[in-house]
Amino acid sequence: FTLHAHIMSLSGDIPALAKVMCTTGHNSYKACRFCTINGVYCQENRHVYFPHKSANRRYDPENLPLRTHEGYIQDVMAIEHVNGTLYRQEVQKRGVKGRSILLELKSIEFPASFPIDIMHGLFENIAPAMLRHWFGTFFKKDFASECVLSKSIWNEIGTIMEKNQKNMPLDFGRPPIDIQKHFAGFKAEDWTNWVILYSLPLLQNYLPERYLNGWAKFVHAVKLCLKKNISISELTEIDRLFREFVTHYERYI
């Protein structure tokens, strides 16, 4: 028989996918490859953020303006017929800056064929970002919040992690190391174990209940994502937990 191979899906971090999809990337005002929400520039941090509620616009997390394959093609056609200043304006407006060669493949659908990479999207993105909130270093200026834990508390947490290195089963992979001292050198496996194994029990005596419960939603969603087989009902639960985590983050952090 004749065997045909078809590319159905591509994965990578955001900068890599932005290149192959010919989108404007994560620092633009239309950074999301799945929806068309507009970013808001923060002068203090010199970064574009994507809150659901801002001074000029509100988005419903359960009904975001999603991108479609047809919409991508329309965006590409719109920028192909302009140049100069008008081209730059259209690129900023649409978040697309060219025609991806992958559009030639009938097996590829934008953006469905470019799913979120759990390693970069969750473990090496959200996990360290939340840690910086708890350290009190996420913002450049001093930020007083109930979710910021003192250095002495992090010393205790780090000591507990290192003291239990020999107590961890080999199936857990890399043994825990002091997160306060070594978080900058954490690999994806370290962040994975921190999220699903260590964070909740180590934070429960220190992080206020409101913030711990919010973080627990993210942890439980991630655990479901890591299952080898995910049912339709579990997909619905994952969606609910992530949306509730985002709502919690925007409300309290």
Side-chain angles (χ1 to χ4, degrees):
F1 66 95
T2 301
L3 178 65
H4 293 278
H6 299 276
I7 298 176
M8 303 293 294
S9 178
L10 293 94
S11 182
D13 60 14
I14 294 177
L17 289 184
K19 287 185 177 181
V20 299
M21 296 178 72
C22 293
T23 55
T24 50
H26 62 287
N27 283 327
S28 67
Y29 287 96
K30 283 289 182 71
C32 183
R33 62 182 182 273
F34 297 105
C35 70
T36 60
I37 67 173
N38 283 297
V40 178
Y41 183 72
C42 175
Q43 183 65 42
E44 180 181 337
N45 286 357
R46 296 184 179 181
H47 192 78
V48 178
Y49 294 98
F50 296 85
H52 290 122
K53 297 179 181 179
S54 64
N56 300 322
R57 185 168 297 181
R58 291 192 174 191
Y59 295 100
D60 181 0
E62 298 185 24
N63 188 31
L64 294 174
L66 299 179
R67 292 184 184 270
T68 64
H69 185 77
E70 293 74 19
Y72 263 101
I73 294 176
Q74 291 174 5
D75 289 336
V76 170
M77 293 178 65
I79 65 172
E80 283 181 334
H81 295 88
V82 294
N83 51 46
T85 301
L86 188 56
Y87 168 81
R88 291 190 291 272
Q89 291 175 348
E90 286 296 315
V91 167
Q92 182 175 346
K93 173 184 174 182
R94 299 174 183 275
V96 177
K97 59 182 181 181
R99 177 180 291 272
S100 171
I101 193 173
L102 296 175
L103 283 171
E104 304 299 320
L105 301 178
K106 294 182 179 180
S107 59
I108 293 294
E109 182 173 343
F110 282 59
S113 295
F114 304 87
I116 294 174
D117 171 16
I118 191 171
M119 181 183 76
H120 292 100
L122 302 183
F123 297 131
E124 294 189 345
N125 187 323
I126 294 179
M130 290 303 300
L131 188 71
R132 292 197 301 273
H133 277 298
W134 299 327
F135 280 173
T137 59
F138 185 87
F139 298 101
K140 293 183 178 180
K141 293 184 178 180
D142 292 338
F143 181 71
S145 171
E146 292 178 327
C147 73
V148 176
L149 303 181
S150 67
K151 188 173 182 179
S152 61
I153 289 177
W154 283 111
N155 285 335
E156 292 181 32
I157 291 174
T159 300
I160 293 172
M161 294 179 74
E162 292 207 326
K163 282 185 176 180
N164 283 276
Q165 286 182 347
K166 295 182 179 180
N167 298 330
M168 295 296 111
L170 293 177
D171 289 345
F172 284 11
R174 292 164 64 95
I177 56 178
D178 188 330
I179 192 168
Q180 184 186 32
K181 293 180 180 178
H182 306 296
F183 73 93
F186 267 31
K187 305 299 182 184
E189 185 178 2
D190 297 307
W191 286 118
T192 303
N193 287 343
W194 165 253
V195 171
I196 67 175
L197 297 175
Y198 309 134
S199 63
L200 286 179
L202 288 173
L203 293 171
Q204 66 176 350
N205 293 327
Y206 305 107
L207 201 62
E209 184 177 3
R210 177 169 61 189
Y211 298 100
L212 189 69
N213 290 339
W215 174 244
K217 296 180 185 298
F218 177 81
V219 173
H220 295 326
V222 169
K223 287 182 177 180
L224 289 174
C225 288
L226 292 174
K227 293 185 64 176
K228 292 183 178 180
N229 297 294
I230 303 175
S231 66
I232 296 299
S233 61
E234 287 171 333
L235 281 175
T236 302
E237 180 70 359
I238 290 170
D239 178 69
R240 181 187 67 82
L241 288 168
F242 276 138
R243 281 192 282 105
E244 290 182 355
F245 169 70
V246 171
T247 300
H248 158 80
Y249 179 90
E250 292 190 338
R251 180 177 299 172
Y252 298 116
I253 300 179

